[in-house]
Amino acid sequence: MTRHLLVPVDGSPLSKRALEFAFEEFDAVAIVAFHVLDPTDPGYSSPTDVTVKTEPPRGSDEWHERATEEEERIFDDARELASDYGGEFETETAVGAPAREIVDYADENEIDHIVMGSHGRTGTTRLLLGSVAEMVVRRSPVSVTVVRD
């Protein structure tokens, strides 16, 4: 039976490693690379370097256009990596708070497992910045594997 894995991708090295891990460690899988556009994030929900002073207002049409272009680059990279492994692969997107969208997608679709990267922040940094991975682990309706640096 094919297992359906959800792998959130944001273009970071850790999300790439999570995608590699999913292909390498799980047999007979269909993988969904999932990207969330977060209108509250000036960096287009990816590790893109941006200068906040010159970027369009978050959530504006211009912001959304740039975020969509960045998302397509992220998906192109994910497709290229997936082609090295074969198997079923698709991409999906959502707009909103990343942790909530990841959990909702897993809950509303036939997802058996989530594999995601985490920067492994601790202490004050984690408290101030929050942790998408931690929130997903706490709220997910399915098992979650966290790939750390």
Short mmCIF file of all heavy atoms in Angstrom, two decimals, residues 57-129:
data_model
loop_
_atom_site.label_atom_id
_atom_site.label_comp_id
_atom_site.label_asym_id
_atom_site.label_seq_id
_atom_site.Cartn_x
_atom_site.Cartn_y
_atom_site.Cartn_z
N PRO A 57 4.35 46.14 0.12
CA PRO A 57 3.64 45.84 1.37
C PRO A 57 3.19 44.38 1.42
O PRO A 57 2.68 43.85 0.43
CB PRO A 57 2.43 46.77 1.34
CG PRO A 57 2.79 47.84 0.37
CD PRO A 57 3.73 47.23 -0.62
N ARG A 58 3.42 43.76 2.56
CA ARG A 58 3.04 42.36 2.73
C ARG A 58 1.55 42.19 2.47
O ARG A 58 0.73 42.96 2.95
CB ARG A 58 3.38 41.88 4.14
CG ARG A 58 4.86 41.71 4.31
CD ARG A 58 5.19 41.30 5.70
NE ARG A 58 5.59 42.51 6.42
CZ ARG A 58 5.73 42.60 7.71
NH1 ARG A 58 5.51 41.57 8.47
NH2 ARG A 58 6.11 43.72 8.27
N GLY A 59 1.24 41.16 1.69
CA GLY A 59 -0.15 40.87 1.37
C GLY A 59 -0.68 41.62 0.16
O GLY A 59 -1.77 41.33 -0.31
N SER A 60 0.09 42.58 -0.38
CA SER A 60 -0.36 43.33 -1.55
C SER A 60 -0.28 42.45 -2.80
O SER A 60 0.34 41.38 -2.79
CB SER A 60 0.52 44.58 -1.75
OG SER A 60 1.83 44.20 -2.15
N ASP A 61 -0.88 42.90 -3.88
CA ASP A 61 -0.83 42.15 -5.14
C ASP A 61 0.60 41.96 -5.61
O ASP A 61 0.98 40.87 -6.06
CB ASP A 61 -1.65 42.85 -6.24
CG ASP A 61 -3.14 42.76 -6.00
OD1 ASP A 61 -3.58 41.90 -5.19
OD2 ASP A 61 -3.88 43.56 -6.62
N GLU A 62 1.43 43.01 -5.51
CA GLU A 62 2.82 42.90 -5.93
C GLU A 62 3.57 41.91 -5.04
O GLU A 62 4.36 41.11 -5.52
CB GLU A 62 3.51 44.27 -5.89
CG GLU A 62 4.91 44.22 -6.43
CD GLU A 62 5.61 45.59 -6.38
OE1 GLU A 62 4.97 46.59 -5.99
OE2 GLU A 62 6.80 45.63 -6.72
N TRP A 63 3.31 41.96 -3.72
CA TRP A 63 3.94 41.00 -2.81
C TRP A 63 3.55 39.58 -3.21
O TRP A 63 4.40 38.70 -3.29
CB TRP A 63 3.52 41.26 -1.36
CG TRP A 63 4.10 40.28 -0.40
CD1 TRP A 63 5.28 40.41 0.28
CD2 TRP A 63 3.59 39.00 -0.06
NE1 TRP A 63 5.52 39.28 1.03
CE2 TRP A 63 4.49 38.40 0.83
CE3 TRP A 63 2.45 38.29 -0.42
CZ2 TRP A 63 4.29 37.14 1.39
CZ3 TRP A 63 2.24 37.03 0.12
CH2 TRP A 63 3.15 36.46 1.01
N HIS A 64 2.27 39.37 -3.46
CA HIS A 64 1.79 38.03 -3.81
C HIS A 64 2.42 37.55 -5.11
O HIS A 64 2.79 36.38 -5.24
CB HIS A 64 0.27 38.00 -3.90
CG HIS A 64 -0.29 36.63 -3.92
ND1 HIS A 64 -0.50 35.93 -5.08
CD2 HIS A 64 -0.63 35.80 -2.92
CE1 HIS A 64 -0.96 34.74 -4.81
NE2 HIS A 64 -1.06 34.63 -3.50
N GLU A 65 2.58 38.44 -6.09
CA GLU A 65 3.21 38.07 -7.36
C GLU A 65 4.66 37.62 -7.13
O GLU A 65 5.09 36.59 -7.65
CB GLU A 65 3.17 39.25 -8.32
CG GLU A 65 3.77 38.96 -9.68
CD GLU A 65 3.68 40.16 -10.61
OE1 GLU A 65 2.68 40.90 -10.54
OE2 GLU A 65 4.63 40.34 -11.39
N ARG A 66 5.41 38.39 -6.34
CA ARG A 66 6.80 38.02 -6.05
C ARG A 66 6.86 36.71 -5.24
O ARG A 66 7.73 35.87 -5.48
CB ARG A 66 7.51 39.13 -5.29
CG ARG A 66 7.81 40.32 -6.14
CD ARG A 66 8.66 41.30 -5.38
NE ARG A 66 8.80 42.55 -6.10
CZ ARG A 66 9.53 43.56 -5.67
NH1 ARG A 66 10.18 43.47 -4.53
NH2 ARG A 66 9.61 44.65 -6.37
N ALA A 67 5.95 36.55 -4.29
CA ALA A 67 5.93 35.34 -3.48
C ALA A 67 5.62 34.12 -4.34
O ALA A 67 6.21 33.05 -4.16
CB ALA A 67 4.90 35.48 -2.36
N THR A 68 4.73 34.28 -5.30
CA THR A 68 4.37 33.18 -6.19
C THR A 68 5.57 32.81 -7.08
O THR A 68 5.82 31.62 -7.33
CB THR A 68 3.14 33.54 -7.05
OG1 THR A 68 2.06 33.85 -6.16
CG2 THR A 68 2.74 32.41 -7.97
N GLU A 69 6.31 33.81 -7.55
CA GLU A 69 7.52 33.53 -8.34
C GLU A 69 8.55 32.77 -7.49
O GLU A 69 9.18 31.82 -7.97
CB GLU A 69 8.13 34.84 -8.85
CG GLU A 69 7.32 35.51 -9.94
CD GLU A 69 7.82 36.91 -10.27
OE1 GLU A 69 8.87 37.34 -9.73
OE2 GLU A 69 7.15 37.59 -11.07
N GLU A 70 8.73 33.18 -6.25
CA GLU A 70 9.66 32.50 -5.35
C GLU A 70 9.19 31.07 -5.08
O GLU A 70 9.97 30.13 -5.07
CB GLU A 70 9.80 33.28 -4.04
CG GLU A 70 10.71 32.64 -3.03
CD GLU A 70 12.17 32.60 -3.45
OE1 GLU A 70 12.56 33.27 -4.42
OE2 GLU A 70 12.94 31.87 -2.79
N GLU A 71 7.90 30.91 -4.91
CA GLU A 71 7.33 29.58 -4.68
C GLU A 71 7.59 28.67 -5.88
O GLU A 71 7.94 27.49 -5.70
CB GLU A 71 5.83 29.69 -4.41
CG GLU A 71 5.16 28.36 -4.19
CD GLU A 71 3.70 28.54 -3.88
OE1 GLU A 71 2.92 28.92 -4.80
OE2 GLU A 71 3.33 28.33 -2.71
N GLU A 72 7.46 29.18 -7.07
CA GLU A 72 7.71 28.36 -8.26
C GLU A 72 9.17 27.93 -8.32
O GLU A 72 9.47 26.81 -8.70
CB GLU A 72 7.31 29.11 -9.54
CG GLU A 72 7.23 28.22 -10.74
CD GLU A 72 6.35 26.98 -10.57
OE1 GLU A 72 5.25 27.08 -10.00
OE2 GLU A 72 6.79 25.88 -11.00
N ARG A 73 10.09 28.80 -7.90
CA ARG A 73 11.50 28.43 -7.84
C ARG A 73 11.71 27.30 -6.82
O ARG A 73 12.42 26.33 -7.09
CB ARG A 73 12.36 29.64 -7.45
CG ARG A 73 13.86 29.33 -7.46
CD ARG A 73 14.68 30.39 -6.74
NE ARG A 73 14.36 30.54 -5.34
CZ ARG A 73 14.73 29.69 -4.36
NH1 ARG A 73 15.43 28.62 -4.65
NH2 ARG A 73 14.40 29.92 -3.11
N ILE A 74 11.05 27.41 -5.69
CA ILE A 74 11.14 26.36 -4.66
C ILE A 74 10.61 25.04 -5.20
O ILE A 74 11.23 23.99 -5.03
CB ILE A 74 10.36 26.79 -3.39
CG1 ILE A 74 11.10 27.95 -2.69
CG2 ILE A 74 10.15 25.61 -2.44
CD1 ILE A 74 10.27 28.65 -1.63
N PHE A 75 9.47 25.09 -5.89
CA PHE A 75 8.91 23.86 -6.45
C PHE A 75 9.77 23.29 -7.58
O PHE A 75 9.89 22.08 -7.72
CB PHE A 75 7.48 24.09 -6.94
CG PHE A 75 6.45 24.15 -5.84
CD1 PHE A 75 5.29 24.86 -6.02
CD2 PHE A 75 6.63 23.48 -4.63
CE1 PHE A 75 4.32 24.91 -5.03
CE2 PHE A 75 5.68 23.52 -3.63
CZ PHE A 75 4.51 24.24 -3.83
N ASP A 76 10.38 24.16 -8.39
CA ASP A 76 11.29 23.67 -9.44
C ASP A 76 12.45 22.90 -8.82
O ASP A 76 12.82 21.83 -9.30
CB ASP A 76 11.82 24.83 -10.29
CG ASP A 76 10.79 25.39 -11.25
OD1 ASP A 76 9.74 24.74 -11.48
OD2 ASP A 76 11.03 26.51 -11.77
N ASP A 77 13.02 23.45 -7.75
CA ASP A 77 14.11 22.76 -7.06
C ASP A 77 13.64 21.42 -6.49
O ASP A 77 14.35 20.42 -6.57
CB ASP A 77 14.68 23.63 -5.94
CG ASP A 77 15.45 24.85 -6.46
OD1 ASP A 77 15.75 24.90 -7.67
OD2 ASP A 77 15.73 25.75 -5.64
N ALA A 78 12.44 21.41 -5.92
CA ALA A 78 11.89 20.17 -5.35
C ALA A 78 11.64 19.13 -6.44
O ALA A 78 11.93 17.95 -6.26
CB ALA A 78 10.60 20.46 -4.58
N ARG A 79 11.12 19.57 -7.58
CA ARG A 79 10.88 18.64 -8.70
C ARG A 79 12.19 18.05 -9.21
O ARG A 79 12.26 16.87 -9.53
CB ARG A 79 10.15 19.36 -9.84
CG ARG A 79 8.70 19.59 -9.60
CD ARG A 79 8.03 20.22 -10.83
NE ARG A 79 6.79 20.84 -10.45
CZ ARG A 79 6.62 22.14 -10.20
NH1 ARG A 79 7.62 22.98 -10.36
NH2 ARG A 79 5.45 22.60 -9.84
N GLU A 80 13.21 18.89 -9.29
CA GLU A 80 14.52 18.42 -9.74
C GLU A 80 15.05 17.35 -8.79
O GLU A 80 15.54 16.31 -9.22
CB GLU A 80 15.50 19.58 -9.85
CG GLU A 80 16.85 19.16 -10.40
CD GLU A 80 17.79 20.35 -10.57
OE1 GLU A 80 17.32 21.48 -10.78
OE2 GLU A 80 19.01 20.11 -10.49
N LEU A 81 14.96 17.61 -7.50
CA LEU A 81 15.41 16.63 -6.51
C LEU A 81 14.58 15.35 -6.62
O LEU A 81 15.11 14.25 -6.61
CB LEU A 81 15.29 17.20 -5.11
CG LEU A 81 15.93 16.38 -4.01
CD1 LEU A 81 16.50 17.29 -2.94
CD2 LEU A 81 14.95 15.43 -3.39
N ALA A 82 13.27 15.48 -6.76
CA ALA A 82 12.38 14.31 -6.86
C ALA A 82 12.70 13.47 -8.09
O ALA A 82 12.58 12.24 -8.05
CB ALA A 82 10.93 14.76 -6.88
N SER A 83 13.13 14.10 -9.17
CA SER A 83 13.44 13.35 -10.39
C SER A 83 14.61 12.40 -10.19
O SER A 83 14.73 11.41 -10.89
CB SER A 83 13.71 14.30 -11.56
OG SER A 83 14.93 14.98 -11.38
N ASP A 84 15.47 12.70 -9.22
CA ASP A 84 16.59 11.81 -8.91
C ASP A 84 16.14 10.52 -8.23
O ASP A 84 16.86 9.53 -8.23
CB ASP A 84 17.61 12.50 -7.99
CG ASP A 84 18.31 13.67 -8.67
OD1 ASP A 84 18.34 13.71 -9.91
OD2 ASP A 84 18.84 14.53 -7.94
N TYR A 85 14.94 10.55 -7.64
CA TYR A 85 14.47 9.40 -6.87
C TYR A 85 13.34 8.63 -7.56
O TYR A 85 13.13 7.47 -7.28
CB TYR A 85 13.98 9.85 -5.49
CG TYR A 85 15.10 10.33 -4.61
CD1 TYR A 85 15.41 11.68 -4.53
CD2 TYR A 85 15.85 9.43 -3.88
CE1 TYR A 85 16.45 12.12 -3.72
CE2 TYR A 85 16.89 9.86 -3.06
CZ TYR A 85 17.18 11.21 -2.98
OH TYR A 85 18.20 11.64 -2.18
N GLY A 86 12.58 9.29 -8.40
CA GLY A 86 11.42 8.63 -8.99
C GLY A 86 10.28 8.58 -7.99
O GLY A 86 10.34 9.17 -6.92
N GLY A 87 9.24 7.85 -8.32
CA GLY A 87 8.09 7.75 -7.42
C GLY A 87 7.09 8.86 -7.67
O GLY A 87 7.31 9.76 -8.47
N GLU A 88 5.97 8.75 -6.98
CA GLU A 88 4.91 9.74 -7.13
C GLU A 88 5.29 11.02 -6.41
O GLU A 88 5.74 10.99 -5.27
CB GLU A 88 3.60 9.21 -6.54
CG GLU A 88 3.01 8.04 -7.32
CD GLU A 88 1.69 7.61 -6.71
OE1 GLU A 88 0.81 8.47 -6.50
OE2 GLU A 88 1.57 6.41 -6.42
N PHE A 89 5.08 12.15 -7.09
CA PHE A 89 5.46 13.44 -6.52
C PHE A 89 4.52 14.51 -7.05
O PHE A 89 4.23 14.56 -8.24
CB PHE A 89 6.90 13.79 -6.89
CG PHE A 89 7.37 15.10 -6.33
CD1 PHE A 89 7.76 15.20 -5.01
CD2 PHE A 89 7.40 16.24 -7.12
CE1 PHE A 89 8.18 16.41 -4.48
CE2 PHE A 89 7.82 17.45 -6.62
CZ PHE A 89 8.22 17.53 -5.28
N GLU A 90 4.04 15.35 -6.16
CA GLU A 90 3.21 16.49 -6.57
C GLU A 90 3.49 17.67 -5.65
O GLU A 90 4.12 17.52 -4.60
CB GLU A 90 1.73 16.13 -6.55
CG GLU A 90 1.17 15.80 -5.18
CD GLU A 90 -0.30 15.44 -5.22
OE1 GLU A 90 -1.13 16.37 -5.37
OE2 GLU A 90 -0.61 14.25 -5.09
N THR A 91 3.03 18.84 -6.06
CA THR A 91 3.20 20.04 -5.25
C THR A 91 1.83 20.63 -4.94
O THR A 91 0.90 20.52 -5.74
CB THR A 91 4.05 21.09 -5.99
OG1 THR A 91 3.41 21.46 -7.22
CG2 THR A 91 5.46 20.56 -6.26
N GLU A 92 1.74 21.23 -3.77
CA GLU A 92 0.52 21.91 -3.34
C GLU A 92 0.92 23.17 -2.61
O GLU A 92 2.02 23.26 -2.06
CB GLU A 92 -0.31 21.02 -2.41
CG GLU A 92 -0.94 19.82 -3.08
CD GLU A 92 -2.08 20.17 -4.02
OE1 GLU A 92 -2.67 21.27 -3.89
OE2 GLU A 92 -2.37 19.35 -4.90
N THR A 93 0.02 24.12 -2.57
CA THR A 93 0.29 25.39 -1.91
C THR A 93 -0.92 25.84 -1.11
O THR A 93 -2.05 25.41 -1.37
CB THR A 93 0.69 26.46 -2.95
OG1 THR A 93 1.13 27.63 -2.26
CG2 THR A 93 -0.45 26.81 -3.86
N ALA A 94 -0.68 26.70 -0.15
CA ALA A 94 -1.74 27.30 0.65
C ALA A 94 -1.27 28.70 1.05
O ALA A 94 -0.09 29.02 0.95
CB ALA A 94 -2.03 26.46 1.89
N VAL A 95 -2.20 29.51 1.51
CA VAL A 95 -1.89 30.84 2.01
C VAL A 95 -2.37 30.92 3.45
O VAL A 95 -3.51 30.57 3.74
CB VAL A 95 -2.58 31.94 1.17
CG1 VAL A 95 -2.33 33.32 1.75
CG2 VAL A 95 -2.13 31.88 -0.28
N GLY A 96 -1.47 31.33 4.34
CA GLY A 96 -1.86 31.46 5.75
C GLY A 96 -0.69 31.22 6.68
O GLY A 96 0.47 31.33 6.29
N ALA A 97 -1.02 30.87 7.91
CA ALA A 97 0.00 30.57 8.92
C ALA A 97 0.54 29.17 8.64
O ALA A 97 -0.23 28.21 8.58
CB ALA A 97 -0.61 30.64 10.31
N PRO A 98 1.85 29.03 8.44
CA PRO A 98 2.41 27.75 8.01
C PRO A 98 2.01 26.54 8.86
O PRO A 98 1.55 25.53 8.31
CB PRO A 98 3.92 27.99 8.05
CG PRO A 98 4.05 29.44 7.74
CD PRO A 98 2.89 30.07 8.47
N ALA A 99 2.16 26.60 10.17
CA ALA A 99 1.84 25.43 11.00
C ALA A 99 0.37 25.03 10.85
O ALA A 99 0.04 23.85 10.68
CB ALA A 99 2.17 25.70 12.46
N ARG A 100 -0.50 26.00 10.89
CA ARG A 100 -1.94 25.71 10.76
C ARG A 100 -2.26 25.10 9.41
O ARG A 100 -3.00 24.13 9.30
CB ARG A 100 -2.75 26.98 10.97
CG ARG A 100 -4.26 26.72 10.82
CD ARG A 100 -5.11 27.94 11.10
NE ARG A 100 -4.89 28.36 12.47
CZ ARG A 100 -4.64 29.62 12.84
NH1 ARG A 100 -4.61 30.57 11.95
NH2 ARG A 100 -4.45 29.92 14.09
N GLU A 101 -1.69 25.66 8.34
CA GLU A 101 -1.97 25.15 7.00
C GLU A 101 -1.44 23.74 6.80
O GLU A 101 -2.07 22.91 6.15
CB GLU A 101 -1.40 26.10 5.94
CG GLU A 101 -2.05 27.47 5.92
CD GLU A 101 -3.54 27.45 5.63
OE1 GLU A 101 -4.01 26.55 4.89
OE2 GLU A 101 -4.26 28.32 6.15
N ILE A 102 -0.25 23.45 7.37
CA ILE A 102 0.32 22.11 7.25
C ILE A 102 -0.58 21.10 7.95
O ILE A 102 -0.92 20.05 7.38
CB ILE A 102 1.75 22.08 7.84
CG1 ILE A 102 2.69 22.92 6.97
CG2 ILE A 102 2.26 20.65 7.98
CD1 ILE A 102 4.01 23.28 7.65
N VAL A 103 -0.99 21.39 9.17
CA VAL A 103 -1.85 20.49 9.93
C VAL A 103 -3.19 20.33 9.23
O VAL A 103 -3.71 19.20 9.11
CB VAL A 103 -2.02 20.98 11.38
CG1 VAL A 103 -3.12 20.20 12.11
CG2 VAL A 103 -0.69 20.89 12.13
N ASP A 104 -3.78 21.42 8.77
CA ASP A 104 -5.07 21.34 8.08
C ASP A 104 -4.98 20.50 6.82
O ASP A 104 -5.87 19.69 6.53
CB ASP A 104 -5.60 22.74 7.73
CG ASP A 104 -6.10 23.50 8.94
OD1 ASP A 104 -6.21 22.90 10.04
OD2 ASP A 104 -6.37 24.72 8.80
N TYR A 105 -3.90 20.68 6.04
CA TYR A 105 -3.75 19.90 4.81
C TYR A 105 -3.66 18.40 5.14
O TYR A 105 -4.30 17.58 4.50
CB TYR A 105 -2.53 20.35 4.01
CG TYR A 105 -2.46 19.66 2.67
CD1 TYR A 105 -3.07 20.23 1.55
CD2 TYR A 105 -1.82 18.44 2.51
CE1 TYR A 105 -3.04 19.60 0.32
CE2 TYR A 105 -1.78 17.80 1.29
CZ TYR A 105 -2.39 18.38 0.19
OH TYR A 105 -2.36 17.74 -1.02
N ALA A 106 -2.87 18.07 6.14
CA ALA A 106 -2.73 16.66 6.53
C ALA A 106 -4.06 16.09 6.99
O ALA A 106 -4.40 14.95 6.68
CB ALA A 106 -1.67 16.52 7.63
N ASP A 107 -4.82 16.89 7.71
CA ASP A 107 -6.11 16.45 8.24
C ASP A 107 -7.16 16.28 7.14
O ASP A 107 -7.97 15.36 7.19
CB ASP A 107 -6.59 17.45 9.29
CG ASP A 107 -7.78 16.96 10.08
OD1 ASP A 107 -7.81 15.76 10.44
OD2 ASP A 107 -8.68 17.77 10.35
N GLU A 108 -7.14 17.15 6.15
CA GLU A 108 -8.17 17.16 5.11
C GLU A 108 -7.84 16.29 3.90
O GLU A 108 -8.68 16.12 3.02
CB GLU A 108 -8.42 18.60 4.66
CG GLU A 108 -8.98 19.47 5.77
CD GLU A 108 -8.94 20.95 5.45
OE1 GLU A 108 -8.54 21.32 4.32
OE2 GLU A 108 -9.28 21.75 6.35
N ASN A 109 -6.64 15.75 3.85
CA ASN A 109 -6.22 14.92 2.73
C ASN A 109 -5.74 13.58 3.26
O ASN A 109 -5.59 13.38 4.45
CB ASN A 109 -5.12 15.63 1.93
CG ASN A 109 -5.64 16.90 1.28
OD1 ASN A 109 -6.19 16.85 0.19
ND2 ASN A 109 -5.52 18.03 1.96
N GLU A 110 -5.47 12.66 2.38
CA GLU A 110 -5.07 11.32 2.79
C GLU A 110 -3.57 11.25 3.07
O GLU A 110 -2.84 10.52 2.41
CB GLU A 110 -5.49 10.31 1.73
CG GLU A 110 -6.99 10.20 1.58
CD GLU A 110 -7.40 9.17 0.55
OE1 GLU A 110 -6.55 8.36 0.13
OE2 GLU A 110 -8.57 9.19 0.17
N ILE A 111 -3.13 12.02 4.06
CA ILE A 111 -1.72 12.06 4.43
C ILE A 111 -1.51 11.08 5.59
O ILE A 111 -2.25 11.08 6.56
CB ILE A 111 -1.30 13.48 4.85
CG1 ILE A 111 -1.48 14.46 3.67
CG2 ILE A 111 0.13 13.50 5.37
CD1 ILE A 111 -0.67 14.14 2.43
N ASP A 112 -0.47 10.24 5.45
CA ASP A 112 -0.16 9.25 6.48
C ASP A 112 0.97 9.70 7.40
O ASP A 112 1.10 9.18 8.52
CB ASP A 112 0.28 7.93 5.83
CG ASP A 112 -0.80 7.35 4.93
OD1 ASP A 112 -1.95 7.21 5.41
OD2 ASP A 112 -0.51 7.07 3.75
N HIS A 113 1.79 10.64 6.94
CA HIS A 113 2.99 11.02 7.70
C HIS A 113 3.49 12.36 7.18
O HIS A 113 3.37 12.65 6.00
CB HIS A 113 4.07 9.94 7.46
CG HIS A 113 5.18 9.93 8.45
ND1 HIS A 113 5.23 9.04 9.49
CD2 HIS A 113 6.29 10.70 8.54
CE1 HIS A 113 6.33 9.25 10.19
NE2 HIS A 113 7.00 10.25 9.63
N ILE A 114 4.04 13.16 8.08
CA ILE A 114 4.65 14.44 7.71
C ILE A 114 6.15 14.33 7.99
O ILE A 114 6.55 13.83 9.05
CB ILE A 114 4.06 15.61 8.52
CG1 ILE A 114 2.56 15.76 8.24
CG2 ILE A 114 4.81 16.91 8.21
CD1 ILE A 114 1.84 16.74 9.14
N VAL A 115 6.96 14.79 7.04
CA VAL A 115 8.42 14.87 7.23
C VAL A 115 8.81 16.32 7.01
O VAL A 115 8.53 16.88 5.94
CB VAL A 115 9.17 13.95 6.24
CG1 VAL A 115 10.68 14.10 6.43
CG2 VAL A 115 8.75 12.51 6.38
N MET A 116 9.42 16.93 8.02
CA MET A 116 9.76 18.34 7.87
C MET A 116 11.06 18.69 8.56
O MET A 116 11.49 17.99 9.48
CB MET A 116 8.63 19.23 8.39
CG MET A 116 8.33 19.12 9.86
SD MET A 116 6.86 20.05 10.36
CE MET A 116 7.25 21.71 9.83
N GLY A 117 11.66 19.76 8.09
CA GLY A 117 12.89 20.24 8.69
C GLY A 117 12.61 21.14 9.87
O GLY A 117 11.53 21.72 10.00
N SER A 118 13.59 21.24 10.75
CA SER A 118 13.51 22.15 11.90
C SER A 118 14.91 22.67 12.19
O SER A 118 15.88 21.93 12.12
CB SER A 118 12.98 21.44 13.13
OG SER A 118 13.05 22.29 14.26
N HIS A 119 14.98 23.93 12.53
CA HIS A 119 16.27 24.52 12.83
C HIS A 119 16.74 24.18 14.23
O HIS A 119 17.86 24.48 14.60
CB HIS A 119 16.23 26.04 12.63
CG HIS A 119 16.00 26.40 11.22
ND1 HIS A 119 16.99 26.38 10.27
CD2 HIS A 119 14.87 26.76 10.55
CE1 HIS A 119 16.49 26.72 9.10
NE2 HIS A 119 15.22 26.95 9.24
N GLY A 120 15.87 23.57 15.04
CA GLY A 120 16.27 23.15 16.36
C GLY A 120 16.57 24.30 17.30
O GLY A 120 17.46 24.22 18.14
N ARG A 121 15.83 25.40 17.15
CA ARG A 121 16.05 26.53 18.05
C ARG A 121 15.68 26.13 19.47
O ARG A 121 14.78 25.33 19.70
CB ARG A 121 15.20 27.72 17.61
CG ARG A 121 15.64 28.30 16.29
CD ARG A 121 14.81 29.53 15.96
NE ARG A 121 15.26 30.09 14.71
CZ ARG A 121 14.65 29.94 13.55
NH1 ARG A 121 13.54 29.23 13.49
NH2 ARG A 121 15.12 30.48 12.46
N THR A 122 16.36 26.75 20.43
CA THR A 122 16.07 26.45 21.82
C THR A 122 15.99 27.74 22.62
O THR A 122 16.35 28.81 22.13
CB THR A 122 17.17 25.56 22.45
OG1 THR A 122 18.42 26.23 22.34
CG2 THR A 122 17.25 24.21 21.75
N GLY A 123 15.52 27.64 23.82
CA GLY A 123 15.52 28.75 24.75
C GLY A 123 14.75 29.96 24.27
O GLY A 123 13.68 29.85 23.67
N THR A 124 15.31 31.14 24.51
CA THR A 124 14.64 32.40 24.20
C THR A 124 14.34 32.53 22.71
O THR A 124 13.29 33.03 22.34
CB THR A 124 15.52 33.59 24.65
OG1 THR A 124 15.83 33.41 26.03
CG2 THR A 124 14.80 34.90 24.45
N THR A 125 15.24 32.07 21.86
CA THR A 125 15.01 32.18 20.42
C THR A 125 13.73 31.46 20.02
O THR A 125 12.92 31.99 19.26
CB THR A 125 16.20 31.58 19.63
OG1 THR A 125 17.39 32.20 20.08
CG2 THR A 125 16.04 31.80 18.15
N ARG A 126 13.53 30.27 20.55
CA ARG A 126 12.32 29.51 20.22
C ARG A 126 11.09 30.21 20.77
O ARG A 126 10.06 30.28 20.13
CB ARG A 126 12.40 28.10 20.76
CG ARG A 126 11.27 27.23 20.23
CD ARG A 126 11.27 25.92 20.89
NE ARG A 126 10.97 26.18 22.29
CZ ARG A 126 10.45 25.32 23.11
NH1 ARG A 126 10.18 24.12 22.72
NH2 ARG A 126 10.21 25.63 24.35
N LEU A 127 11.19 30.75 21.99
CA LEU A 127 10.05 31.42 22.60
C LEU A 127 9.67 32.68 21.82
O LEU A 127 8.48 32.97 21.63
CB LEU A 127 10.35 31.78 24.05
CG LEU A 127 10.46 30.60 25.01
CD1 LEU A 127 10.93 31.09 26.38
CD2 LEU A 127 9.15 29.87 25.12
N LEU A 128 10.65 33.42 21.36
CA LEU A 128 10.37 34.66 20.64
C LEU A 128 9.91 34.40 19.21
O LEU A 128 9.01 35.08 18.72
CB LEU A 128 11.62 35.55 20.62
CG LEU A 128 12.06 36.11 21.96
CD1 LEU A 128 13.38 36.85 21.81
CD2 LEU A 128 11.00 37.04 22.53
N LEU A 129 10.53 33.45 18.54
CA LEU A 129 10.24 33.24 17.13
C LEU A 129 9.18 32.17 16.90
O LEU A 129 8.60 32.11 15.83
CB LEU A 129 11.52 32.83 16.39
CG LEU A 129 12.65 33.85 16.43
CD1 LEU A 129 13.88 33.28 15.75
CD2 LEU A 129 12.22 35.14 15.77
#
